Amino acid sequence: MNIQKAEDLAKLTQDPHKGLEEKEKVLEVAIGREVRAFRKKQNITVAELSALTNLSIGMLSKIENGNTSPSLTTLQSLANALSVPLTAFFKQYEERREAVHTRAGEGVETERAGTRSGHQYNLLGHIGSNNSGVIVEPYLIVLNDESDTFQTFQHDGIETIYMLEGIVGYRHGSEAYRLEPGDTLFFDADAPHGPEELIKFPIRYLSIISYPQRK
């Protein structure tokens, strides 16, 4: 499918350069989110939590919305009422955000399910369970003149291919695409897909697969 004109595309709502709003960065917001999450997980209403802690409904609302800085005494009361350790309220604030730096030539050569002869896969990085709920697997794929051709990959998620070198005829479902350096193919990965024709060597491309992490 050809790319639609820019004016026909739906406006993207995610700004890749936007930082978190100031209130999103502070400790009070992180604590408030945890208090609300534990309360809802236990099916406790704000009124019920108010009765258990002797805190007013208004004060609890301010705490859950990150609009006030609760004292340690208040946090201890909430922890006792919700049967969680005091430190549980700081989980989101302290949680580590990962980044993986893979230097040139240091990608881990691996095999994917269904890998065919002559297909070299280098995994360029991996982050497991994370807050986004999405797993992303970036591969550098190298094909040579002895590589098999096929259209049998089928898996969950979305895949993006970006051609670095060479020319390949790539099959996705009932369509075939001639991919040259700089070309991108973005597709649902549950349709049969794979390199159908190896036209010009050497062939190298990035394959980035994203799918929901399993609970």
mmCIF file of all heavy atoms in Angstrom, residues 28-68:
data_model
loop_
_atom_site.group_PDB
_atom_site.id
_atom_site.type_symbol
_atom_site.label_atom_id
_atom_site.label_comp_id
_atom_site.label_asym_id
_atom_site.label_seq_id
_atom_site.Cartn_x
_atom_site.Cartn_y
_atom_site.Cartn_z
ATOM 1 N N GLU A 28 5.419 13.450 44.954
ATOM 2 C CA GLU A 28 4.020 13.418 45.378
ATOM 3 C C GLU A 28 3.135 12.691 44.375
ATOM 4 O O GLU A 28 2.224 11.948 44.760
ATOM 5 C CB GLU A 28 3.491 14.845 45.589
ATOM 6 C CG GLU A 28 4.043 15.538 46.826
ATOM 7 C CD GLU A 28 5.361 16.242 46.548
ATOM 8 O OE1 GLU A 28 5.969 15.966 45.501
ATOM 9 O OE2 GLU A 28 5.772 17.070 47.383
ATOM 10 N N VAL A 29 3.378 12.901 43.099
ATOM 11 C CA VAL A 29 2.565 12.253 42.065
ATOM 12 C C VAL A 29 2.791 10.742 42.076
ATOM 13 O O VAL A 29 1.852 9.944 41.973
ATOM 14 C CB VAL A 29 2.887 12.841 40.675
ATOM 15 C CG1 VAL A 29 2.171 12.055 39.579
ATOM 16 C CG2 VAL A 29 2.460 14.300 40.618
ATOM 17 N N ALA A 30 4.057 10.337 42.212
ATOM 18 C CA ALA A 30 4.365 8.906 42.247
ATOM 19 C C ALA A 30 3.699 8.235 43.439
ATOM 20 O O ALA A 30 3.125 7.140 43.319
ATOM 21 C CB ALA A 30 5.879 8.706 42.299
ATOM 22 N N ILE A 31 3.744 8.884 44.591
ATOM 23 C CA ILE A 31 3.102 8.326 45.788
ATOM 24 C C ILE A 31 1.595 8.240 45.591
ATOM 25 O O ILE A 31 0.961 7.214 45.894
ATOM 26 C CB ILE A 31 3.430 9.193 47.028
ATOM 27 C CG1 ILE A 31 4.913 9.058 47.393
ATOM 28 C CG2 ILE A 31 2.546 8.798 48.210
ATOM 29 C CD1 ILE A 31 5.352 10.000 48.490
ATOM 30 N N GLY A 32 0.999 9.316 45.077
ATOM 31 C CA GLY A 32 -0.444 9.335 44.869
ATOM 32 C C GLY A 32 -0.924 8.226 43.952
ATOM 33 O O GLY A 32 -1.961 7.595 44.201
ATOM 34 N N ARG A 33 -0.170 7.976 42.901
ATOM 35 C CA ARG A 33 -0.555 6.899 41.972
ATOM 36 C C ARG A 33 -0.522 5.544 42.653
ATOM 37 O O ARG A 33 -1.386 4.691 42.425
ATOM 38 C CB ARG A 33 0.398 6.903 40.767
ATOM 39 C CG ARG A 33 0.131 8.034 39.796
ATOM 40 C CD ARG A 33 1.133 8.011 38.665
ATOM 41 N NE ARG A 33 0.811 9.006 37.658
ATOM 42 C CZ ARG A 33 1.619 9.328 36.655
ATOM 43 N NH1 ARG A 33 2.797 8.748 36.545
ATOM 44 N NH2 ARG A 33 1.257 10.229 35.766
ATOM 45 N N GLU A 34 0.488 5.332 43.502
ATOM 46 C CA GLU A 34 0.583 4.047 44.190
ATOM 47 C C GLU A 34 -0.540 3.878 45.202
ATOM 48 O O GLU A 34 -1.123 2.790 45.318
ATOM 49 C CB GLU A 34 1.948 3.925 44.882
ATOM 50 C CG GLU A 34 3.111 3.786 43.930
ATOM 51 C CD GLU A 34 2.985 2.577 43.025
ATOM 52 O OE1 GLU A 34 2.676 1.478 43.526
ATOM 53 O OE2 GLU A 34 3.178 2.740 41.805
ATOM 54 N N VAL A 35 -0.855 4.941 45.947
ATOM 55 C CA VAL A 35 -1.953 4.867 46.913
ATOM 56 C C VAL A 35 -3.248 4.502 46.186
ATOM 57 O O VAL A 35 -3.993 3.601 46.615
ATOM 58 C CB VAL A 35 -2.116 6.201 47.667
ATOM 59 C CG1 VAL A 35 -3.403 6.190 48.500
ATOM 60 C CG2 VAL A 35 -0.910 6.464 48.563
ATOM 61 N N ARG A 36 -3.535 5.186 45.088
ATOM 62 C CA ARG A 36 -4.759 4.906 44.332
ATOM 63 C C ARG A 36 -4.758 3.476 43.795
ATOM 64 O O ARG A 36 -5.770 2.767 43.852
ATOM 65 C CB ARG A 36 -4.907 5.894 43.175
ATOM 66 C CG ARG A 36 -6.211 5.671 42.378
ATOM 67 C CD ARG A 36 -6.276 6.509 41.119
ATOM 68 N NE ARG A 36 -6.328 7.921 41.432
ATOM 69 C CZ ARG A 36 -5.351 8.788 41.145
ATOM 70 N NH1 ARG A 36 -4.233 8.369 40.561
ATOM 71 N NH2 ARG A 36 -5.483 10.061 41.450
ATOM 72 N N ALA A 37 -3.614 3.036 43.268
ATOM 73 C CA ALA A 37 -3.538 1.690 42.692
ATOM 74 C C ALA A 37 -3.791 0.617 43.745
ATOM 75 O O ALA A 37 -4.544 -0.336 43.511
ATOM 76 C CB ALA A 37 -2.167 1.490 42.040
ATOM 77 N N PHE A 38 -3.175 0.757 44.922
ATOM 78 C CA PHE A 38 -3.385 -0.229 45.989
ATOM 79 C C PHE A 38 -4.825 -0.193 46.489
ATOM 80 O O PHE A 38 -5.421 -1.239 46.789
ATOM 81 C CB PHE A 38 -2.422 0.028 47.146
ATOM 82 C CG PHE A 38 -1.011 -0.412 46.873
ATOM 83 C CD1 PHE A 38 0.036 0.500 46.936
ATOM 84 C CD2 PHE A 38 -0.723 -1.728 46.545
ATOM 85 C CE1 PHE A 38 1.345 0.102 46.680
ATOM 86 C CE2 PHE A 38 0.583 -2.137 46.299
ATOM 87 C CZ PHE A 38 1.622 -1.214 46.363
ATOM 88 N N ARG A 39 -5.404 1.004 46.588
ATOM 89 C CA ARG A 39 -6.793 1.120 47.052
ATOM 90 C C ARG A 39 -7.743 0.422 46.074
ATOM 91 O O ARG A 39 -8.619 -0.352 46.497
ATOM 92 C CB ARG A 39 -7.169 2.602 47.197
ATOM 93 C CG ARG A 39 -8.628 2.805 47.598
ATOM 94 C CD ARG A 39 -8.956 4.259 47.802
ATOM 95 N NE ARG A 39 -8.815 5.074 46.604
ATOM 96 C CZ ARG A 39 -9.683 5.082 45.596
ATOM 97 N NH1 ARG A 39 -10.757 4.285 45.619
ATOM 98 N NH2 ARG A 39 -9.490 5.881 44.554
ATOM 99 N N LYS A 40 -7.568 0.696 44.784
ATOM 100 C CA LYS A 40 -8.460 0.092 43.794
ATOM 101 C C LYS A 40 -8.256 -1.417 43.697
ATOM 102 O O LYS A 40 -9.213 -2.180 43.477
ATOM 103 C CB LYS A 40 -8.233 0.757 42.437
ATOM 104 C CG LYS A 40 -8.758 2.187 42.381
ATOM 105 C CD LYS A 40 -8.676 2.754 40.974
ATOM 106 C CE LYS A 40 -9.347 4.128 40.915
ATOM 107 N NZ LYS A 40 -9.305 4.691 39.549
ATOM 108 N N LYS A 41 -7.011 -1.855 43.832
ATOM 109 C CA LYS A 41 -6.729 -3.289 43.757
ATOM 110 C C LYS A 41 -7.466 -4.039 44.855
ATOM 111 O O LYS A 41 -7.876 -5.189 44.667
ATOM 112 C CB LYS A 41 -5.222 -3.510 43.867
ATOM 113 C CG LYS A 41 -4.798 -4.962 43.684
ATOM 114 C CD LYS A 41 -3.281 -5.091 43.713
ATOM 115 C CE LYS A 41 -2.852 -6.531 43.497
ATOM 116 N NZ LYS A 41 -1.368 -6.675 43.527
ATOM 117 N N GLN A 42 -7.639 -3.393 45.991
ATOM 118 C CA GLN A 42 -8.320 -4.021 47.122
ATOM 119 C C GLN A 42 -9.805 -3.660 47.186
ATOM 120 O O GLN A 42 -10.486 -3.979 48.160
ATOM 121 C CB GLN A 42 -7.621 -3.622 48.425
ATOM 122 C CG GLN A 42 -6.172 -4.104 48.486
ATOM 123 C CD GLN A 42 -5.469 -3.690 49.761
ATOM 124 O OE1 GLN A 42 -6.067 -3.687 50.843
ATOM 125 N NE2 GLN A 42 -4.201 -3.342 49.663
ATOM 126 N N ASN A 43 -10.293 -2.992 46.140
ATOM 127 C CA ASN A 43 -11.719 -2.624 46.067
ATOM 128 C C ASN A 43 -12.169 -1.814 47.277
ATOM 129 O O ASN A 43 -13.261 -2.035 47.827
ATOM 130 C CB ASN A 43 -12.592 -3.874 45.902
ATOM 131 C CG ASN A 43 -12.354 -4.580 44.591
ATOM 132 O OD1 ASN A 43 -12.244 -3.945 43.548
ATOM 133 N ND2 ASN A 43 -12.253 -5.899 44.634
ATOM 134 N N ILE A 44 -11.328 -0.894 47.705
ATOM 135 C CA ILE A 44 -11.651 -0.005 48.823
ATOM 136 C C ILE A 44 -12.019 1.367 48.275
ATOM 137 O O ILE A 44 -11.291 1.922 47.447
ATOM 138 C CB ILE A 44 -10.453 0.125 49.790
ATOM 139 C CG1 ILE A 44 -10.122 -1.234 50.409
ATOM 140 C CG2 ILE A 44 -10.730 1.146 50.892
ATOM 141 C CD1 ILE A 44 -8.865 -1.216 51.277
ATOM 142 N N THR A 45 -13.137 1.912 48.685
ATOM 143 C CA THR A 45 -13.533 3.240 48.238
ATOM 144 C C THR A 45 -12.754 4.301 49.011
ATOM 145 O O THR A 45 -12.157 4.026 50.059
ATOM 146 C CB THR A 45 -15.036 3.472 48.449
ATOM 147 O OG1 THR A 45 -15.305 3.497 49.856
ATOM 148 C CG2 THR A 45 -15.865 2.375 47.770
ATOM 149 N N VAL A 46 -12.779 5.522 48.495
ATOM 150 C CA VAL A 46 -12.117 6.621 49.196
ATOM 151 C C VAL A 46 -12.756 6.823 50.571
ATOM 152 O O VAL A 46 -12.062 7.065 51.569
ATOM 153 C CB VAL A 46 -12.193 7.920 48.369
ATOM 154 C CG1 VAL A 46 -11.634 9.099 49.157
ATOM 155 C CG2 VAL A 46 -11.434 7.767 47.060
ATOM 156 N N ALA A 47 -14.088 6.697 50.643
ATOM 157 C CA ALA A 47 -14.790 6.861 51.919
ATOM 158 C C ALA A 47 -14.360 5.788 52.918
ATOM 159 O O ALA A 47 -14.174 6.063 54.116
ATOM 160 C CB ALA A 47 -16.295 6.806 51.700
ATOM 161 N N GLU A 48 -14.215 4.560 52.458
ATOM 162 C CA GLU A 48 -13.791 3.473 53.344
ATOM 163 C C GLU A 48 -12.365 3.683 53.830
ATOM 164 O O GLU A 48 -12.047 3.443 55.001
ATOM 165 C CB GLU A 48 -13.915 2.139 52.607
ATOM 166 C CG GLU A 48 -15.362 1.703 52.380
ATOM 167 C CD GLU A 48 -15.472 0.514 51.460
ATOM 168 O OE1 GLU A 48 -14.531 0.274 50.667
ATOM 169 O OE2 GLU A 48 -16.504 -0.180 51.508
ATOM 170 N N LEU A 49 -11.489 4.149 52.912
ATOM 171 C CA LEU A 49 -10.110 4.413 53.311
ATOM 172 C C LEU A 49 -10.051 5.580 54.302
ATOM 173 O O LEU A 49 -9.229 5.581 55.221
ATOM 174 C CB LEU A 49 -9.252 4.715 52.075
ATOM 175 C CG LEU A 49 -7.746 4.859 52.308
ATOM 176 C CD1 LEU A 49 -7.163 3.610 52.964
ATOM 177 C CD2 LEU A 49 -7.024 5.154 50.984
ATOM 178 N N SER A 50 -10.930 6.541 54.118
ATOM 179 C CA SER A 50 -11.014 7.669 55.037
ATOM 180 C C SER A 50 -11.353 7.189 56.453
ATOM 181 O O SER A 50 -10.753 7.623 57.441
ATOM 182 C CB SER A 50 -12.069 8.667 54.549
ATOM 183 O OG SER A 50 -12.270 9.697 55.502
ATOM 184 N N ALA A 51 -12.292 6.262 56.532
ATOM 185 C CA ALA A 51 -12.691 5.736 57.836
ATOM 186 C C ALA A 51 -11.571 4.920 58.480
ATOM 187 O O ALA A 51 -11.396 4.934 59.704
ATOM 188 C CB ALA A 51 -13.946 4.878 57.688
ATOM 189 N N LEU A 52 -10.796 4.217 57.674
ATOM 190 C CA LEU A 52 -9.720 3.381 58.198
ATOM 191 C C LEU A 52 -8.526 4.197 58.684
ATOM 192 O O LEU A 52 -7.780 3.754 59.566
ATOM 193 C CB LEU A 52 -9.254 2.392 57.110
ATOM 194 C CG LEU A 52 -10.215 1.264 56.728
ATOM 195 C CD1 LEU A 52 -9.710 0.530 55.491
ATOM 196 C CD2 LEU A 52 -10.349 0.283 57.897
ATOM 197 N N THR A 53 -8.339 5.368 58.097
ATOM 198 C CA THR A 53 -7.135 6.153 58.396
ATOM 199 C C THR A 53 -7.404 7.433 59.185
ATOM 200 O O THR A 53 -6.454 8.099 59.619
ATOM 201 C CB THR A 53 -6.449 6.560 57.082
ATOM 202 O OG1 THR A 53 -7.366 7.332 56.288
ATOM 203 C CG2 THR A 53 -5.988 5.343 56.297
ATOM 204 N N ASN A 54 -8.682 7.785 59.352
ATOM 205 C CA ASN A 54 -9.059 9.058 59.984
ATOM 206 C C ASN A 54 -8.566 10.271 59.187
ATOM 207 O O ASN A 54 -8.388 11.353 59.742
ATOM 208 C CB ASN A 54 -8.530 9.144 61.423
ATOM 209 C CG ASN A 54 -9.233 8.174 62.353
ATOM 210 O OD1 ASN A 54 -10.449 7.978 62.250
ATOM 211 N ND2 ASN A 54 -8.476 7.548 63.242
ATOM 212 N N LEU A 55 -8.343 10.065 57.879
ATOM 213 C CA LEU A 55 -8.008 11.168 56.980
ATOM 214 C C LEU A 55 -9.276 11.567 56.243
ATOM 215 O O LEU A 55 -10.093 10.711 55.887
ATOM 216 C CB LEU A 55 -6.937 10.748 55.971
ATOM 217 C CG LEU A 55 -5.561 10.383 56.543
ATOM 218 C CD1 LEU A 55 -4.687 9.763 55.444
ATOM 219 C CD2 LEU A 55 -4.876 11.597 57.130
ATOM 220 N N SER A 56 -9.452 12.852 56.004
ATOM 221 C CA SER A 56 -10.656 13.297 55.306
ATOM 222 C C SER A 56 -10.634 12.845 53.853
ATOM 223 O O SER A 56 -9.567 12.582 53.281
ATOM 224 C CB SER A 56 -10.770 14.820 55.356
ATOM 225 O OG SER A 56 -9.752 15.420 54.558
ATOM 226 N N ILE A 57 -11.830 12.756 53.278
ATOM 227 C CA ILE A 57 -11.940 12.385 51.867
ATOM 228 C C ILE A 57 -11.211 13.411 50.996
ATOM 229 O O ILE A 57 -10.527 13.061 50.030
ATOM 230 C CB ILE A 57 -13.421 12.271 51.452
ATOM 231 C CG1 ILE A 57 -14.062 11.060 52.140
ATOM 232 C CG2 ILE A 57 -13.550 12.148 49.941
ATOM 233 C CD1 ILE A 57 -15.545 10.904 51.875
ATOM 234 N N GLY A 58 -11.306 14.681 51.364
ATOM 235 C CA GLY A 58 -10.625 15.729 50.615
ATOM 236 C C GLY A 58 -9.121 15.561 50.649
ATOM 237 O O GLY A 58 -8.439 15.748 49.630
ATOM 238 N N MET A 59 -8.581 15.211 51.830
ATOM 239 C CA MET A 59 -7.142 15.006 51.954
ATOM 240 C C MET A 59 -6.692 13.800 51.124
ATOM 241 O O MET A 59 -5.662 13.843 50.444
ATOM 242 C CB MET A 59 -6.763 14.812 53.423
ATOM 243 C CG MET A 59 -5.278 14.490 53.640
ATOM 244 S SD MET A 59 -4.162 15.748 52.943
ATOM 245 C CE MET A 59 -4.462 17.092 54.100
ATOM 246 N N LEU A 60 -7.472 12.718 51.168
ATOM 247 C CA LEU A 60 -7.125 11.539 50.379
ATOM 248 C C LEU A 60 -7.134 11.843 48.877
ATOM 249 O O LEU A 60 -6.282 11.365 48.130
ATOM 250 C CB LEU A 60 -8.094 10.391 50.687
ATOM 251 C CG LEU A 60 -7.919 9.722 52.052
ATOM 252 C CD1 LEU A 60 -9.043 8.729 52.303
ATOM 253 C CD2 LEU A 60 -6.569 9.030 52.135
ATOM 254 N N SER A 61 -8.108 12.646 48.463
ATOM 255 C CA SER A 61 -8.175 13.043 47.058
ATOM 256 C C SER A 61 -6.925 13.826 46.652
ATOM 257 O O SER A 61 -6.344 13.606 45.587
ATOM 258 C CB SER A 61 -9.429 13.874 46.810
ATOM 259 O OG SER A 61 -9.486 14.303 45.465
ATOM 260 N N LYS A 62 -6.493 14.732 47.534
ATOM 261 C CA LYS A 62 -5.287 15.510 47.246
ATOM 262 C C LYS A 62 -4.056 14.609 47.175
ATOM 263 O O LYS A 62 -3.190 14.796 46.317
ATOM 264 C CB LYS A 62 -5.091 16.577 48.326
ATOM 265 C CG LYS A 62 -6.050 17.744 48.237
ATOM 266 C CD LYS A 62 -5.748 18.781 49.318
ATOM 267 C CE LYS A 62 -6.663 19.980 49.212
ATOM 268 N NZ LYS A 62 -6.369 21.002 50.250
ATOM 269 N N ILE A 63 -3.982 13.628 48.069
ATOM 270 C CA ILE A 63 -2.837 12.708 48.065
ATOM 271 C C ILE A 63 -2.814 11.894 46.775
ATOM 272 O O ILE A 63 -1.778 11.779 46.108
ATOM 273 C CB ILE A 63 -2.890 11.775 49.293
ATOM 274 C CG1 ILE A 63 -2.633 12.573 50.574
ATOM 275 C CG2 ILE A 63 -1.866 10.648 49.157
ATOM 276 C CD1 ILE A 63 -2.844 11.770 51.848
ATOM 277 N N GLU A 64 -3.965 11.320 46.399
ATOM 278 C CA GLU A 64 -4.011 10.471 45.209
ATOM 279 C C GLU A 64 -3.744 11.253 43.932
ATOM 280 O O GLU A 64 -3.240 10.702 42.946
ATOM 281 C CB GLU A 64 -5.362 9.758 45.126
ATOM 282 C CG GLU A 64 -5.545 8.701 46.197
ATOM 283 C CD GLU A 64 -6.716 7.779 45.918
ATOM 284 O OE1 GLU A 64 -7.429 7.998 44.908
ATOM 285 O OE2 GLU A 64 -6.911 6.828 46.698
ATOM 286 N N ASN A 65 -4.062 12.530 43.921
ATOM 287 C CA ASN A 65 -3.829 13.351 42.734
ATOM 288 C C ASN A 65 -2.478 14.052 42.750
ATOM 289 O O ASN A 65 -2.162 14.828 41.842
ATOM 290 C CB ASN A 65 -4.948 14.391 42.591
ATOM 291 C CG ASN A 65 -6.270 13.766 42.202
ATOM 292 O OD1 ASN A 65 -6.326 12.967 41.277
ATOM 293 N ND2 ASN A 65 -7.322 14.094 42.917
ATOM 294 N N GLY A 66 -1.682 13.780 43.781
ATOM 295 C CA GLY A 66 -0.346 14.361 43.846
ATOM 296 C C GLY A 66 -0.337 15.836 44.141
ATOM 297 O O GLY A 66 0.630 16.537 43.806
ATOM 298 N N ASN A 67 -1.396 16.340 44.791
ATOM 299 C CA ASN A 67 -1.507 17.777 45.062
ATOM 300 C C ASN A 67 -1.048 18.181 46.459
ATOM 301 O O ASN A 67 -1.142 19.350 46.825
ATOM 302 C CB ASN A 67 -2.962 18.226 44.860
ATOM 303 C CG ASN A 67 -3.382 18.124 43.408
ATOM 304 O OD1 ASN A 67 -2.565 18.317 42.510
ATOM 305 N ND2 ASN A 67 -4.648 17.798 43.164
ATOM 306 N N THR A 68 -0.577 17.201 47.227
ATOM 307 C CA THR A 68 -0.069 17.534 48.564
ATOM 308 C C THR A 68 1.050 16.571 48.920
ATOM 309 O O THR A 68 1.144 15.474 48.350
ATOM 310 C CB THR A 68 -1.191 17.457 49.622
ATOM 311 O OG1 THR A 68 -0.708 17.984 50.848
ATOM 312 C CG2 THR A 68 -1.662 16.033 49.825
#
